[in-house]
Amino acid sequence: MATIKDVALHSQTSVGTVSRYLNGYQVKIENRHKIEKAIEELGFSINLMAKGLKTNITMTVGILIPTLSNIYSTKIIEGIEHYLDDFGYSILVCDSRDDVKIEKQKLKFLQDKHVDGIIIMPVDRYDSGKNIQETIDSGVSAVLIDRLTQGVTCDAVVSDNVNASYVVMQHIIERGHRKIGIIAGDQKIYTAYERLLGYKRALQDYNLPIDDNLIGYSDYTKIGGSKTVNEILEKNTDCTAIFATNYETTISTVKAVLDRGYTIGQEISIFGYDQTELAEITEPPISLVIQPIEDIGKKAAEFLIKRMKRDMANFPSIKRLATKIITTDSIRNIL
Amino acid sequence: MATIKDVALHSQTSVGTVSRYLNGYQVKIENRHKIEKAIEELGFSINLMAKGLKTNITMTVGILIPTLSNIYSTKIIEGIEHYLDDFGYSILVCDSRDDVKIEKQKLKFLQDKHVDGIIIMPVDRYDSGKNIQETIDSGVSAVLIDRLTQGVTCDAVVSDNVNASYVVMQHIIERGHRKIGIIAGDQKIYTAYERLLGYKRALQDYNLPIDDNLIGYSDYTKIGGSKTVNEILEKNTDCTAIFATNYETTISTVKAVLDRGYTIGQEISIFGYDQTELAEITEPPISLVIQPIEDIGKKAAEFLIKRMKRDMANFPSIKRLATKIITTDSIRNIL
DNA sequence: GTGAAAGCGCTAACAC
DNA sequence: GTGTTAGCGCTTTCAC
C-alpha cells in the first residue's frame, strides 16, 4: 500500500505538498499534475487511520439502536446514511438489544472508536440518560431519536406521540365507542409512555372513565401482543375497539381478532401503528398512525452535522415531528 | 483523554509494560496492579486508531448492501452484528442503492477505512464481480451474501432459490393449475434470475409450455409489482395462479388481486416470498417461501471470521441454505 | 520481565 | 507555495 511518502518521492515533491494537495489547499498547477499522476500510478489511497490519529477526526458517526430488525429502525438508519453520505461520513451501527447495560457498553465502545458523533435511540426513559450524558461530556456530539430520556442535554428528534394517540382516540370516541382497549407497552419506554398518555388524556377530555381493565401492558412483541389482546377481550366482553400502539402489536391484534372469528370493523374495531403495507391488504384495511420515519433519521443527521461543526445555535433543540393518521372502515361508526 | 504514556507515568512503569499488559502478555503481578489502578484512576481507554495504524487491524467489518430499508437486509445485518460482537468486531454499514457505480465507490471507501473484512450483497450478476475481486486482491477478506456474481473468488452464503421456486411450482402444478404467472425481477439480479430458473425448470419437467405472456419482469418494487400483476392478468384471462418472487411484489400481488375484487384462493391463487407476518393476516393466509435470513448473516460472519484468521481451508466455499415453504389455501386445488 | 526507542502514515507549524 | 520536521498513541524490537 503506497503512502504519502511514496507519492512525494514519485512526484518529486514533498510529503507536505502532497498532504496539502490531498486536503484541498493551493498547490502549484505543475505539482498538482505530478502528484495526480503519481497517485494514479501508485494506486495510492489515503490511510484514514493515520489521518484520524493526527486530527482526531474519524468522519464516522455511531448509531445505537435497541434493535436492528424492524423496518422502523432500518428506515431511520437509511435516512441517516443517505444524509451523512453527502458529507463523507460513514456509520458504525450497533444495537443495544433493549438492554441498558449493553447500551452503556456500546456507548463506551463508540467512544473508543473515536466516532465524531452519535445518534441514539435510548433504551429507556430513566436509566439511559446518565450513560448518554457521560458520553456527551467526553466530547462527542449526540442526538436522541424517537425517544427522550432523563438527564441528558442534547438535541432530539421524536414523533408527536401524545398528539397522535389523542387524535386516534378522538376518532374512535366520536364514532360512539366507549369501551376502548389499548395495547400499551412498557412504560419505561418513552414512546409507549407518551402513547398511553394521549389515550388517557383523550378519555379525560371526553369525560370517559379510565378503566384499568382496558389497558394492557404488553412487551411490544408479536407474541406478547396476542396475549394482551386476548386478556383485554376476555376481561371486557363489552369492549368494541382496540388501539394497538406499535407495529408488532398491531399485527397481533389483527391476528387475534381474526382468530376469534370476528370481522374487523364489525364486532371489533381496530386502530394500529406504523407500516402502511398492512393497512392495504386486510379487509377492511386497518386505520393507522403513520410516523415520518425517514424524516426522523434525516433531521437527526442534520442536527448532528450542525453540532459536529460546533454550531451550537439553539442548543438543545427538541424537534417533534407530526404524524399522519389514516382512517378506514376498521373503526366502525356505532352511533 | 489519557494515553498509554500517562498510565506508564502514573503507575511508574513504562509504555512497553503497559502495552504488554493491555495485550494480555505476562506482566509482574505487582506491575499489573499498579497499571490497573492507574487505568482506573485516569479513566484510560485505548486509542484504537493509533493501535490500528500500527497493527493494520481495525477490528471493523464493512457491510455493503443494495438497500437498507427492508427487513430482509436488516435481519441479515442484525445476524452479522450479533455474531461479530462476540469477537469484538464492529460493523460499518453502507448501502449501494442498487447502483454498481456507488457500490464500487463504497468498496473503495471501505478499503480506505482499512476494514478487516467485507460482507457484501452484490448489486448485479455481471458487473459487481470485477470491483469486488479488486478489493479482495488488495488483501481484505470478503464474503458474498444472498447473491452470487461473476468473476469473484470468495466464500458465499445464499439461499436455495432455484429449488425453492421449483418446489413452489410443483405445489401449484400438482393442484391442477396450468396457467401460472410469475412476477419475476431484473434478471441481472442473481436471486431474480435463479427464481425464474426454478419456475421454468418445473414447467419443463411437467411438460408444460413456458409462455412469455405469463412471465412479468418487474422492478421488484411495490409499485412496479402492481403494474406487472395487472399486465399478466390482462394478457392472460385464463391465468389461475401467480407466484410473486420477492416480498414487495407479494404485497402488490395481494393488493392488486384484492383490488380486482377477486378472492385469494378462489379466482386467483397466490404464492409469495418472505415475511411470515403477512401470511397470517390475510384471509386465507398466503402461501410463502421463507428464507433462513438470520442464518445467512450468521453463516457469512462465521466464514469471514475464519478467513480473517487466515484459515483458508476449503476456500472458496458456497453455502446454499435451504428455504422453507408454508402452504395454505391461497393455492386452490382445482383438480 | 522490563525500559528505551524506532516507526506506523499522516498533519501542521516553521522557516524559507 | 514548498520542504523539513515534530509528534499524534500505539506496538515491537532490542538490549538488559
Side-chain angles (χ1 to χ4, degrees), chain A residues 146-217:
Chain A
D146 188 61
R147 311 174 180 178
L148 265 27
T149 180
Q150 254 173 24
V152 179
T153 309
C154 71
D155 302 309
V157 183
V158 299
S159 57
D160 188 3
N161 300 291
V162 181
N163 186 57
S165 201
Y166 187 91
V167 172
V168 165
M169 288 301 290
Q170 258 183 323
H171 181 86
I172 302 178
I173 294 169
E174 287 176 357
R175 271 160 191 70
H177 297 272
R178 290 296 170 264
K179 297 289 184 181
I180 305 164
I182 182 169
I183 315 299
D186 188 332
Q187 295 297 295
K188 280 196 290 200
I189 299 173
Y190 179 76
T191 45
Y193 167 75
E194 281 212 312
R195 290 170 197 173
L196 181 57
L197 201 63
Y199 166 90
K200 290 182 179 168
R201 196 169 288 174
L203 289 175
Q204 282 168 340
D205 287 358
Y206 279 84
N207 280 314
L208 294 171
I210 293 171
D211 180 351
D212 281 341
N213 281 324
L214 284 164
I215 301 177
Y217 297 94

Side-chain angles (χ1 to χ4, degrees), chain A residues 45-50 52-53 58-60 67-69 71 74-75 77-78 81-82 85 88 90-95 97 106 108-109 112-114 222 247 251 254-255 258 275 277-278 280-282, chain B residues 45-50 52-53 58-60 67-69 71 74-75 77-78 81-82 85 88 90-95 97 106 108-109 112-114 222 247 251 254-255 258 275 277-278 280-282:
Chain A
S45 136
I46 200 167
N47 186 327
L48 294 174
M49 271 189 296
L53 176 59
T58 52
M59 294 303 283
T60 308
T67 174
L68 260 27
S69 68
I71 327 101
T74 21
K75 287 218 168 148
I77 295 178
E78 193 175 50
E81 211 264 357
H82 287 182
D85 200 22
S90 52
I91 57 175
L92 210 46
V93 174
C94 300
D95 71 318
R97 310 197 199 188
K106 299 270 184 169
K108 165 97 168 61
F109 177 80
D112 286 353
K113 282 273 182 179
H114 281 253
K222 252 169 281 169
Y247 172 57
I251 309 227
V254 170
K255 194 161 150 27
L258 253 29
Q275 186 78 347
E277 286 152 10
L278 271 187
E280 297 169 355
I281 61 169
T282 57
Chain B
S45 133
I46 199 166
N47 185 327
L48 295 174
M49 271 189 296
L53 177 59
T58 53
M59 295 304 282
T60 307
T67 176
L68 260 29
S69 67
I71 328 101
T74 21
K75 286 217 169 149
I77 295 178
E78 192 174 51
E81 211 265 355
H82 287 183
D85 201 22
S90 52
I91 56 175
L92 209 49
V93 174
C94 301
D95 71 319
R97 309 198 199 187
K106 299 270 183 169
K108 165 99 168 59
F109 176 79
D112 286 354
K113 282 272 182 181
H114 280 253
K222 252 172 278 167
Y247 172 57
I251 309 226
V254 170
K255 194 160 151 24
L258 253 29
Q275 186 78 346
E277 287 152 11
L278 272 187
E280 296 169 356
I281 61 169
T282 56

Side-chain angles (χ1 to χ4, degrees), chain A residues 7 35 234:
Chain A
V7 175
I35 292 172
E234 267 146 36

Side-chain angles (χ1 to χ4, degrees), chain B residues 6-36:
Chain B
D6 300 324
V7 175
L9 245 50
H10 203 87
S11 63
Q12 298 164 81
T13 59
S14 70
V15 285
T17 308
V18 177
S19 172
R20 262 164 250 146
Y21 162 80
L22 253 18
N23 289 287
Y25 295 103
Q26 277 288 352
V27 170
K28 213 196 290 171
I29 184 94
E30 184 194 331
N31 284 334
R32 131 170 273 117
H33 290 319
K34 284 200 283 190
I35 292 172
E36 280 167 353

